Amino acid sequence: MLVGLAQNGHAEDAIRLFGQMQEEGVTANSTTLVSLVHCCAHLGSLKKGRSVHARLLRLGYAFDVVNRTALIDMYAKCGNINYAERVFEDVSSFKDVISWNSMITGYGMHGQGQKALDLYRRMLEEGLKPNKTTFVSLLSACSHSGFVDQGRSLFLSMESDHNIRANEKHYACYVDLLSRAGHIEEAEVLIKQMPFQSSREVFEALLNGCRMHENIDIGIKAADYLLSLDATNPGIYIMLSNIYAEARRWDAVDHIRGLMRGRGLKKTPGYSLIEVGKQLHAFFAGEDSHPNSVEIDRILENLKSELEALGYVPDTSCVLRDVDEVMKIKSLWRHSERLAIAFGLLHTPAGSLIRISKNLRVYGDCHTVTKYISKVVKRVIIVRDANRFHHFVDGKCSCNDYW
């Protein structure tokens, strides 16, 4: 039951079921605990993850290669890449290719593309043969770090050096790499040259790049293809709507949103999670019903004044609604990660690290604000968004403003 819940995205239910299991005196085994590790990774719950790791150690399961790989993944997804490294470098047990892949993936998620490439070279030096997943991890790491030339070389070397034929995931990662870097036309040509029918992932990567670089023409073609595959996916409508909104084509935005309403589709609400004590707290964009709303608003108002004194100017271009500037600025300050950060400042010791997980990509202005906040409050703030991690320290971000 735990495995079923964990594998189908019901992480919180799985953790609650584990609590019931403990109350009824049923002893956990390795399968139970590794399922909980995956749940903690999904939720970004580092404290619960550490607790499960301690239990694995006590029961002697922590050095099993499968469990250790799950721990590497968990620590990386919970924002602690240093702990992931420590688990990986434990020399008391064998490292298989899956362990190496997991660590390379972790580096990629944290924007440490050079470390991912260095680890790959070390892997080859130690005589391990890469597999298909290795190159998915490497191409993804290059994408998050903007390593276009290195990504091209890796894509070509798969077949020439390792006799690995690129599959749909490899093409999707390569298209994502090119699209993020602004090479939209090259990505489109690559898709046309694929030796099999284009997948949904490939065109989603292209569409995301079109949104980032405001390429309406290719974006419309990518969206049309995706909608021909699945006309009920609200994410495609939202991304196409955002492309039009960034180009200030409000008539087209209204048309797309009208199509969504007519088909009964709704946008996924943005939310952020923060773990304080033993509890995860969720904040939704625009929320004002939280028990600490008054204190949160006070903290945000004070931060707004301090940030503006340092030179912060709101970038309202990321507010994709046809409203006046005052409403746009007000909307920005009600974004879920700002509410979560304020809650963290309210309920954690001065100087302590703040970790947040969000279900959507971080907005440009929220990224800028979080950099300023990290400098003003002298805190390290780690944000996991839908694509990667951002480590904000003293006014700078680990992504170097490339995400």
Side-chain angles (χ1 to χ4, degrees):
M1 196 66 216
L2 270 164
V3 171
L5 289 168
Q7 290 181 348
N8 287 279
H10 300 283
E12 290 181 273
D13 291 333
I15 289 173
R16 277 194 291 269
L17 188 66
F18 177 64
Q20 182 183 338
M21 179 179 168
Q22 289 181 297
E23 289 171 6
E24 296 186 13
V26 182
T27 304
N29 62 14
S30 179
T31 303
T32 315
L33 295 175
V34 78
S35 296
L36 288 173
V37 170
H38 290 305
C39 291
C40 295
H42 176 76
L43 293 170
S45 178
L46 183 61
K47 289 181 180 178
K48 286 187 175 69
R50 281 177 172 163
S51 175
V52 178
H53 186 183
R55 192 179 290 262
L56 282 164
L57 286 166
R58 285 198 301 272
L59 296 175
Y61 299 139
F63 300 109
D64 175 86
V65 67
V66 174
N67 294 348
R68 194 184 63 241
T69 301
L71 287 167
I72 293 168
D73 178 68
M74 182 273 292
Y75 280 119
K77 287 181 178 174
C78 288
N80 199 323
I81 195 67
N82 294 330
Y83 263 72
E85 282 180 335
R86 284 173 59 178
V87 175
F88 175 77
E89 296 294 355
D90 188 340
V91 294
S92 62
S93 54
F94 170 72
K95 298 185 187 75
D96 65 357
V97 67
I98 301 172
S99 300
W100 290 83
N101 291 348
S102 187
M103 195 65 235
I104 290 169
T105 300
Y107 282 137
M109 283 192 296
H110 287 264
Q112 298 182 11
Q114 191 56 56
K115 281 193 173 184
L117 295 174
D118 291 343
L119 191 64
Y120 170 61
R121 280 190 284 270
R122 185 178 140 198
M123 175 183 173
L124 296 179
E125 288 167 3
E126 295 197 14
L128 270 84
K129 187 176 180 179
N131 61 16
K132 291 183 178 183
T133 304
T134 310
F135 286 98
V136 171
S137 300
L138 286 166
L139 289 167
S140 179
C142 289
S143 180
H144 287 309
S145 296
F147 292 170
V148 177
D149 292 338
Q150 295 92 324
R152 283 197 186 102
S153 297
L154 285 165
F155 188 80
L156 294 173
S157 76
M158 275 195 302
E159 189 162 2
S160 61
D161 297 339
H162 302 285
N163 199 29
I164 296 174
R165 182 165 294 181
N167 61 25
E168 291 180 6
K169 286 188 176 180
H170 297 117
Y171 274 97
C173 288
Y174 192 19
V175 169
D176 186 59
L177 167 69
L178 295 172
S179 300
R180 282 179 188 274
H183 302 286
I184 306 295
E185 289 77 12
E186 183 181 349
E188 187 182 31
V189 170
L190 177 68
I191 292 172
K192 292 176 181 177
Q193 294 173 345
M194 285 171 56
F196 38 73
Q197 186 174 2
S198 303
S199 68
R200 178 178 58 82
E201 285 182 303
V202 169
F203 272 93
E204 283 181 350
L206 180 63
L207 181 58
N208 184 55
C210 291
R211 181 195 58 77
M212 292 172 67
H213 297 283
E214 299 182 24
N215 191 316
I216 295 176
D217 293 337
I218 296 178
I220 291 171
K221 286 191 285 184
D224 283 344
Y225 180 81
L226 286 165
L227 291 174
S228 73
L229 296 178
D230 181 8
T232 63
N233 184 345
I236 307 306
Y237 292 91
I238 293 298
M239 206 174 291
L240 183 56
S241 171
N242 289 349
I243 290 174
Y244 282 128
E246 286 169 356
R248 298 300 182 261
R249 296 265 303 273
W250 301 116
D251 55 336
V253 171
D254 290 340
H255 174 67
I256 297 297
R257 290 179 179 172
L259 287 176
M260 287 184 67
R261 285 192 297 271
R263 291 169 182 171
L265 305 175
K266 293 183 179 180
K267 178 183 178 182
T268 302
Y271 66 82
S272 295
L273 300 174
I274 181 170
E275 187 175 32
V276 175
K278 294 182 178 180
Q279 189 175 354
L280 278 171
H281 299 263
F283 290 88
F284 288 83
E287 182 179 10
D288 58 5
S289 59
H290 193 276
N292 294 122
S293 281
V294 174
E295 295 95 329
I296 287 171
D297 288 344
R298 175 176 50 79
I299 288 173
L300 289 176
E301 193 59 39
N302 290 339
L303 283 172
K304 184 171 177 287
S305 300
E306 290 189 70
L307 269 51
E308 288 173 349
L310 285 176
Y312 162 68
V313 177
D315 176 11
T316 57
S317 65
C318 62
V319 180
L320 305 178
R321 293 188 295 164
D322 190 14
V323 294
D324 62 36
E325 283 297 300
V326 174
M327 287 300 296
K328 287 182 179 181
I329 293 171
K330 185 177 179 180
S331 170
L332 284 173
W333 281 96
R334 304 305 299 173
H335 279 198
S336 64
E337 60 264 55
R338 304 192 197 196
L339 299 174
I341 289 170
F343 182 80
L345 293 171
L346 190 63
H347 289 283
T348 58
S352 63
L353 186 149
I354 293 175
R355 296 178 198 275
I356 291 167
S357 298
K358 61 183 277 105
N359 66 327
L360 302 177
R361 179 180 179 271
V362 66
Y363 282 94
D365 189 70
C366 289
H367 191 269
T368 301
V369 157
T370 309
K371 287 196 294 184
Y372 272 104
I373 292 174
S374 71
K375 186 177 183 68
V376 166
V377 302
K378 294 180 171 51
R379 302 261 203 132
V380 175
I381 302 172
I382 298 177
V383 177
R384 181 179 85 174
D385 73 6
N387 296 318
R388 56 166 300 153
F389 277 88
H390 301 263
H391 295 246
F392 298 93
V393 184
D394 194 30
K396 297 179 181 177
C397 181
S398 60
C399 75
N400 294 316
D401 299 336
Y402 184 92
W403 77 97

